[in-house]
Amino acid sequence: DVKVTQSSRYLVKRTGEKVFLECVQDMDHENMFWYRQDPGLGLRLIYFSYDVKMKEKGDIPEGYSVSREKKERFSLILESASTNQTSMYLCASTAGGETQYFGPGTRLLVL
Amino acid sequence: GQSLEQPSEVTAVEGAIVQINCTYQTSGFYGLSWYQQHDGGAPTFLSYNALDGLEETGRFSSFLSRSDSYGYLLLQELQMKDSASYFCAVSGNTPLVFGKGTRLSVIA
């Protein structure tokens, strides 16, 4: 079974803090994605990566950056957390087919 | 750009059949996917349609009409555990774009 893990299920941070969300997949997938999910807004794509050291902006990249130094790991960085970044963050990976495999999500609260 | 429309909420009785519709606007369309998400859980893949017609997987079926830019997810013999949010998603020249989700409540 494909396994996508995220470093934390719940996280509480202060405004202005730098926040790192880690995602690791164990199926040698090329493609990895970061989404945020908010009530009534569905899943919105923040950043994605089709290869190591490659990154592309999604629909809502403002306030975020990413890092992909190794194929299995895709990190989402909030350079200076703000309250409007309080959300559920979901990581996903795919080998290029139509099935995206999601991690369990990180619920981030920024105070 | 790409956009999808699906109902925000649907309620159905245990044992019944429910259909969740999805209409989309996109360029470079490849296919339509469906995902299920239980409260507190991660989305999980249900089905994918690239060609017109109905695909059946157990109690769940998914339909696509490319000419109408329309698809639906059909859930039969509803069970309480089917209560969840269901998302349609289109794949095209860009990464998957998800609809806002339909919250299905199954009642006794």
Side-chain angles (χ1 to χ4, degrees):
Chain A
D1 279 352
V2 174
K3 192 164 185 182
V4 181
T5 57
Q6 295 183 227
S7 49
S8 306
R9 290 301 304 272
Y10 301 94
L11 211 51
V12 180
K13 295 292 181 182
R14 297 276 180 197
T15 302
E17 281 192 77
K18 191 168 186 176
V19 182
F20 292 87
L21 303 181
E22 302 283 338
C23 175
V24 178
Q25 50 90 6
D26 66 356
M27 284 301 291
D28 203 35
H29 285 171
E30 288 82 15
N31 309 325
M32 298 188 74
F33 307 84
W34 273 107
Y35 298 89
R36 64 176 283 177
Q37 184 175 27
D38 302 287
L41 297 179
L43 286 82
R44 293 181 292 166
L45 183 63
I46 305 172
Y47 267 96
F48 60 99
S49 170
Y50 288 155
D51 201 353
V52 175
K53 297 197 185 290
M54 176 269 182
K55 60 185 178 184
E56 292 282 348
K57 293 180 180 179
D59 299 319
I60 51 165
E62 295 78 19
Y64 303 95
S65 62
V66 289
S67 172
R68 191 154 183 215
E69 296 296 318
K70 294 185 177 181
K71 191 175 186 180
E72 68 271 18
R73 187 180 299 269
F74 192 35
S75 303
L76 180 69
I77 304 155
L78 287 68
E79 295 290 342
S80 178
S82 62
T83 54
N84 63 12
Q85 292 178 310
T86 290
S87 187
M88 169 71 89
Y89 290 88
L90 288 159
C91 174
S93 74
T94 176
E98 296 311 319
T99 305
Q100 284 203 359
Y101 297 90
F102 284 85
T106 296
R107 193 170 291 279
L108 173 67
L109 173 62
V110 182
L111 300 173
Chain B
Q2 295 169 306
S3 66
L4 298 95
E5 292 289 332
Q6 56 180 127
S8 58
E9 294 183 8
V10 172
T11 300
V13 177
E14 191 176 17
I17 299 171
V18 71
Q19 178 175 311
I20 300 174
N21 298 321
C22 176
T23 58
Y24 59 86
Q25 288 185 322
T26 184
S27 56
F29 177 81
Y30 293 164
L32 185 71
S33 303
W34 289 92
Y35 286 76
Q36 178 192 59
Q37 185 180 29
H38 287 99
D39 284 348
T44 56
F45 173 82
L46 289 177
S47 68
Y48 173 71
N49 294 65
L51 302 175
D52 285 356
L54 191 68
E55 296 275 348
E56 298 182 47
T57 308
R59 294 188 297 115
F60 292 6
S61 303
S62 57
F63 172 82
L64 176 66
S65 169
R66 295 173 69 107
S67 60
D68 295 324
S69 298
Y70 164 75
Y72 65 73
L73 180 69
L74 191 74
L75 296 83
Q76 303 182 73
E77 301 172 18
L78 279 173
Q79 302 175 9
M80 300 301 285
K81 67 177 181 180
D82 297 329
S83 292
S85 292
Y86 293 84
F87 296 87
C88 58
V90 292
S91 53
N93 293 331
T94 60
L96 269 186
V97 176
F98 287 85
K100 294 182 179 179
T102 298
R103 186 170 186 86
L104 170 64
S105 298
V106 180
I107 58 176

